[in-house]
Amino acid sequence: MNNKKIHTQLIILDNEEINSSHFRLHIELPADCPHIQPGQFAEFYVPPTLQSFLRIPLSIHFVSDKEIQFLIQIKGEGTQYLKTLQKGDKIDTILPLGKGFTIPTNKKVALIGGGCGIAPLLFLSDQLAANNNLQHIFLGFRNYEQVMLIDDFKKYGEVIVSTDDGSFGDKGVITDIFEKKLEKFDYVYSCGPTIMINKVIEICKHNNLYCEVSLETLMGCGIGACLCCAISTKNGNLRACIDGPVFDSNLINNLNY
Amino acid sequence: MNITVEIGKLKLKNPILTASGTFGYGQEFEDFFDPSILGAIITKGTTLEPREGNNYPRMAETSAGMLNAVGLQNKGVHYFINEILPAIAKYQTNIIVNVAGNAVEDYVETVSLLNNIDRVDAVELNVSCPNVKHGGMQFGTNYDLLKELLQKVRKTYNKTLIVKLSPNVTKIEDFALLCQDEHADAITVANTYLGMAIDINTMKTKLATITGGLSGPAIKPITLRMVYQCAQVVNIPIIASGGIISWQDAIEYLLAGASAVQIGTANFINPSISQDILHGIEQYLLQKNIKNIKEIIGAMKSN
Ligand SMILES: Cc1cc2nc3c(=O)[nH]c(=O)nc-3n(C[C@H](O)[C@H](O)[C@H](O)COP(=O)(O)OP(=O)(O)OC[C@H]3O[C@@H](n4cnc5c(N)ncnc54)[C@H](O)[C@@H]3O)c2cc1C
Ligand SMILES: Cc1cc2nc3c(=O)[nH]c(=O)nc-3n(C[C@H](O)[C@H](O)[C@H](O)COP(=O)(O)O)c2cc1C
Ligand code: FES
């Protein structure tokens, strides 16, 4: 069963620019906030525009004793609006939503993130470290300009970075690097573009590694009511927002979107 | 103040209902408000056999609305009766089951099962789902087919029967009258409008099924017009469903002739919106010094 959710106005503490297309929102942790698991997400209300009026789902990027952070890529009007928020502004939020990652103790684990898909992995990494897990963190970006948050991850384990064009770190897609450096990981976690996730699932299946992936779909409600967020699995169509967004990769049929 | 309304044999403590497919089974909303405050909960479309629904993507945002093509994903009526109903039976409100099917026999068998279940207070016959290949909207847009369906269902189901009409017809009053003639207790006006959207970057349709059902504030003026038109020709109660996002929208529907309203897509934006709308209506009646909500049903005047 998923934990309790709250619907509340949260206060922005800081809006940190990361690079030309990404920023990080620091939001005050509400006093009545239920326990948040890495991999869970929030739904933000942004003022409706002529194009859209539904909420925006965003992964919980990091949680400290004072704040909740979100790492956001500017895509369309909604994320552009979030970019304009400043210290003291309020944002209507529903959280924490969905099912998060499993956190083991004393295991050897690998994290594979691509682009903005690294968002939920930072809090995951923090919690894995708190439970004495040995981490190998694989982060892939398009090019040097897009590389971000390496130092944040370095606190928790060995970080391996690649860029598609080789302008930073290893050259190539991160899944190839992951495959080359494969070890007997007890747990593998991944979040990122569909093509990357499919590849990670394939590698893990081939090598008999347990893997959890965080999946993004379009969402109507974010709370399990509309069935718009269908993920095709071995157990039939499941809802990304409440049965996920984190799934055991063995369940997932090839993602084709 | 009296805000109770009657729909067939049902007495609703207030006219606020949640629309099928937008409110899960209520449980999803428990953290935000108590579903017991509602006049009724209407379940997700329920079919005889389990259905997996359509492929992803199943939704697209549009101007002041959304398209959906969920395709009636549900675990079937047996699962509903045995697993879901016991969990929601605690709500102190009416439970209305939205029933869909591929063929007349499916509908008949499904409602005959529900007829014996005490906690199911009414059935809303979904003859208007635009997102399934067979059945669905076919019944709601074909007069003769709907007539046959209603005759058979009415013979089998003797509790309150509501028929949810399709707005994708030329003259909805004809269908409303048919429902009245075939002894339906009430009609819901209306389901979603058939629509589509294309992603100009990928040049692909935004929905896997190409077309889907349009809901949300964009459709309100059209559905409002249909509620008004139906109210001119039938005496059975009308339940309005289409684009309600505020208490003002709900009042408009009551004035046009609806006895109750359903909150749909708006649940996605504000999960406790039904509660807000209920309070808004109470305030309105108080301010206007209206003692009984029935005084405003169909009370619109022309300009
Ligand atoms: C569980 C979950 C967690 C997410 N976490 C993050 C995160 O941590 N950081 C982040 O930057 N983004 C995240 N996203 C994606 C984010 O929700 C979308 O980028 C955002 O809704 C786009 O809104 P917009 O109004 O700016 O753009 P729009 O104009 O709505 O869309 C711009 C483009 O993005 C696509 N898009 C819109 N919504 C989604 C979506 N939900 N998933 C995938 N593509 C989408 C659209 O099809 C369109 O091509 C997450 C999505 C989900 C479902
Ligand atoms: C995601 C989604 C799923 C729906 N599923 C059903 C359904 O199973 N059965 C049904 O009769 N109507 C279904 N509907 C239609 C709604 O119940 C409602 O009639 C319609 O959305 C118009 O109202 P609204 O604009 O307030 O949403 C669905 C609508 C949406 C948006
Ligand atoms: S987004 Fe509505 S059920 Fe998942």
Side-chain angles (χ1 to χ4, degrees):
Chain A
M1 200 55 210
N2 298 60
N3 51 351
K4 195 176 160 58
K5 316 175 267 279
I6 54 170
H7 177 195
T8 184
Q9 301 282 329
L10 297 180
I11 301 162
I12 310 291
L13 299 176
D14 189 18
N15 190 336
E16 178 193 358
E17 181 162 312
I18 301 284
N19 59 34
S20 62
S21 51
H22 294 84
F23 59 101
R24 186 149 59 175
L25 274 186
H26 298 249
I27 296 180
E28 191 173 72
L29 183 75
D32 57 344
C33 192
H35 176 72
I36 299 176
Q37 306 158 13
Q40 289 190 298
F41 66 101
E43 284 263 10
F44 287 121
Y45 176 79
V46 300
T49 68
L50 285 177
Q51 315 300 330
S52 67
F53 71 113
L54 292 173
R55 283 175 181 268
I56 293 196
L58 292 168
S59 297
I60 291 176
H61 171 57
F62 195 75
V63 182
S64 71
D65 51 358
K66 288 192 260 332
E67 54 175 53
I68 311 175
Q69 299 175 8
F70 296 88
L71 177 68
I72 305 166
Q73 178 177 22
I74 301 171
K75 278 247 181 114
E77 286 179 338
T79 43
Q80 249 147 28
Y81 168 81
L82 294 174
K83 171 79 173 127
T84 66
L85 293 176
Q86 295 187 350
K87 185 173 163 53
D89 287 347
K90 287 194 171 161
I91 178 96
D92 180 313
T93 313
I94 303 176
L95 88 179
L97 301 172
K99 256 175 51 191
F101 294 104
T102 310
I103 310 287
T105 27
N106 301 318
K107 299 285 183 204
K108 186 155 141 185
V109 307
L111 283 67
I112 305 122
C116 197
I118 69 173
L121 300 185
L122 189 65
F123 184 37
L124 171 65
S125 200
D126 177 73
Q127 295 296 297
L128 287 168
N131 287 281
N132 268 323
N133 295 288
L134 184 68
Q135 305 182 45
H136 295 249
I137 303 160
F138 298 85
L139 305 176
F141 302 95
R142 230 173 306 134
N143 53 45
Y144 175 68
E145 214 278 301
Q146 295 294 318
V147 175
M148 56 186 166
L149 311 182
I150 306 298
D151 290 336
D152 295 61
F153 280 98
K154 275 192 177 153
K155 285 186 230 154
Y156 305 118
E158 188 195 339
V159 179
I160 303 107
V161 182
S162 81
T163 50
D164 296 357
D165 64 359
S167 53
F168 187 92
D170 292 349
K171 182 177 160 94
V173 291
I174 196 66
T175 43
D176 287 350
I177 318 271
F178 168 64
E179 200 166 15
K180 271 191 218 128
K181 303 206 171 178
L182 212 58
E183 296 178 33
K184 186 71 203 119
F185 298 115
D186 300 305
Y187 285 78
V188 176
Y189 305 93
S190 188
C191 182
T194 307
I195 170 164
M196 187 197 98
I197 302 250
N198 274 331
K199 187 73 197 174
V200 170
I201 294 179
E202 190 190 306
I203 295 169
C204 290
K205 188 170 286 169
H206 196 77
N207 293 282
N208 243 322
L209 300 174
Y210 176 79
C211 171
E212 291 183 351
V213 292
S214 174
L215 303 178
E216 278 184 21
T217 65
L218 295 170
M219 289 187 175
C221 68
I223 58 173
C226 74
L227 304 176
C228 286
C229 60
I231 298 282
S232 168
T233 76
K234 307 277 181 298
N235 299 338
N237 283 329
L238 295 179
R239 295 162 295 178
C241 70
I242 191 163
D243 304 313
V246 175
F247 290 93
D248 172 348
S249 72
N250 280 320
L251 277 183
I252 306 299
N253 293 327
N254 193 48
L255 302 167
N256 56 1
Y257 55 85
Chain B
M1 192 192 326
N2 183 347
I3 55 168
T4 61
V5 295
E6 285 84 42
I7 302 288
K9 299 169 203 78
L10 294 192
K11 194 168 169 97
L12 309 184
K13 62 182 142 201
N14 64 62
I16 308 299
L17 285 57
T18 46
S20 174
T22 66
F23 197 66
Y25 296 94
Q27 299 148 302
E28 293 79 358
F29 290 78
E30 275 181 25
D31 288 342
F32 307 112
F33 77 101
D34 179 2
S36 295
I37 68 158
L38 295 164
I41 293 169
I42 305 178
T43 69
K44 175 68 196 164
T46 304
T47 50
L48 188 58
E49 303 295 338
R51 287 180 59 104
E52 278 302 326
N54 293 323
N55 286 340
Y56 183 91
R58 293 176 168 187
M59 65 164 283
E61 263 188 274
T62 59
S63 297
M66 67 178 278
L67 292 161
N68 91 81
V70 172
L72 294 174
Q73 180 180 336
N74 79 102
K75 293 187 171 161
V77 68
H78 293 282
Y79 186 89
F80 172 77
I81 293 170
N82 298 322
E83 306 292 332
I84 298 172
L85 192 59
I88 63 172
K90 63 181 178 197
Y91 299 139
Q92 285 158 28
T93 185
N94 296 291
I95 294 174
I96 301 176
V97 180
N98 182 273
V99 171
N102 293 336
V104 174
E105 298 72 42
D106 297 351
Y107 280 98
V108 171
E109 201 173 332
T110 308
V111 298
S112 74
L113 287 165
L114 293 169
N115 198 37
N116 304 322
I117 310 290
D118 279 348
R119 199 55 188 85
V120 172
D121 301 287
V123 154
E124 180 181 59
L125 216 55
N126 176 2
V127 293
S128 42
C129 180
N131 299 324
V132 291
K133 277 209 195 76
H134 306 286
M137 200 170 87
Q138 189 194 331
F139 288 100
T141 56
N142 182 323
Y143 190 90
D144 297 326
L145 211 55
L146 183 61
K147 185 171 184 164
E148 185 199 337
L149 177 70
L150 292 180
Q151 286 173 345
K152 295 206 169 133
V153 165
R154 188 69 284 188
K155 262 194 219 127
T156 328
Y157 190 74
N158 37 46
K159 292 192 276 185
T160 298
L161 179 67
I162 304 162
V163 184
K164 185 168 182 179
L165 295 178
S166 171
N168 302 299
V169 294
T170 314
K171 202 164 168 228
I172 196 161
E173 302 96 296
D174 293 346
F175 292 84
L177 272 173
L178 173 63
C179 293
Q180 176 167 286
D181 292 345
E182 297 304 335
H183 314 290
D185 295 290
I187 50 173
T188 297
V189 179
N191 210 312
T192 53
Y193 295 75
L194 199 59
M196 66 183 280
I198 304 167
D199 182 326
I200 61 162
N201 292 317
T202 61
M203 300 191 185
K204 285 191 198 165
T205 54
K206 288 197 179 175
L207 298 173
T209 47
I210 303 177
T211 60
L214 181 65
S215 65
I219 69 173
K220 199 202 77 184
I222 321 179
T223 303
L224 183 67
R225 181 262 295 173
M226 293 194 190
V227 165
Y228 161 72
Q229 288 175 324
C230 291
Q232 302 311 298
V233 299
V234 296
N235 306 316
I236 53 175
I238 299 169
I239 306 172
S241 169
I244 298 172
I245 55 165
S246 66
W247 62 265
Q248 289 92 336
D249 293 334
I251 298 278
E252 258 189 279
Y253 273 117
L254 296 174
L255 289 169
S259 296
V261 296
Q262 298 182 7
I263 315 301
T265 304
N267 291 309
F268 304 163
I269 304 162
N270 174 2
S272 51
I273 198 157
S274 301
Q275 187 172 29
D276 299 351
I277 289 175
L278 178 57
H279 289 159
I281 292 177
E282 285 169 345
Q283 286 307 311
Y284 172 85
L285 296 178
L286 212 59
Q287 227 162 46
K288 292 246 177 213
N289 199 20
I290 297 165
K291 300 273 183 310
N292 191 328
I293 196 159
K294 291 179 190 114
E295 290 170 38
I296 67 166
I297 294 173
M300 68 172 244
K301 304 172 220 149
S302 53
N303 221 316

